[in-house]
Amino acid sequence: MCLGIPGQIVEVTDGERQMAMADVSGVKREVSVACVAQGDLEDLVGKWVLIHVGFAMSIIDEEEAAETLEALRGLGEAQETLEAMAHGVSALEGTQ
């Protein structure tokens, strides 16, 4: 099963590589915005995107993002994914 999770782009981290920081329910993770980039990458800051395996796959509106996150929380899948993401970030911080 493919699981896409809504996240909000909070900053562009590497314009040349088309990478940005996304906030997914309080967990920040760098994602590729190459699939949704149209023009100036800074225009993506504040936008909601659907994220799958480190790629922003599509731009969604805030209402759709909230509804999707609520549905995922109800299913319990979002919590497991967020915990896995948090562990991944913690593991990376220990290697720097």
Side-chain angles (χ1 to χ4, degrees):
M1 176 175 140
C2 295
L3 181 63
I5 302 233
Q8 187 173 33
I9 302 298
V10 295
E11 71 176 295
V12 174
T13 55
D14 187 338
E16 192 172 303
R17 291 180 35 236
Q18 296 186 317
M19 299 296 288
M21 190 64 64
D23 183 318
V24 180
S25 295
V27 176
K28 291 184 179 171
R29 180 174 186 175
E30 191 173 44
V31 298
S32 171
V33 292
C35 295
V36 297
Q38 297 176 355
D40 188 0
L41 292 182
E42 291 295 329
D43 292 342
L44 291 173
V45 174
K47 301 272 187 192
W48 285 89
V49 294
L50 193 58
I51 301 168
H52 178 66
V53 294
F55 290 87
M57 301 304 293
S58 62
I59 296 174
I60 58 175
D61 63 41
E62 186 173 0
E63 183 179 340
E64 182 180 355
E67 289 172 0
T68 302
L69 283 170
E70 186 60 34
L72 290 171
R73 281 187 194 100
L75 295 172
E77 293 179 7
Q79 186 59 39
E80 292 173 13
T81 302
L82 291 173
E83 287 175 3
M85 288 172 62
H87 287 237
V89 170
S90 296
L92 289 175
E93 288 173 352
T95 62
Q96 295 177 355

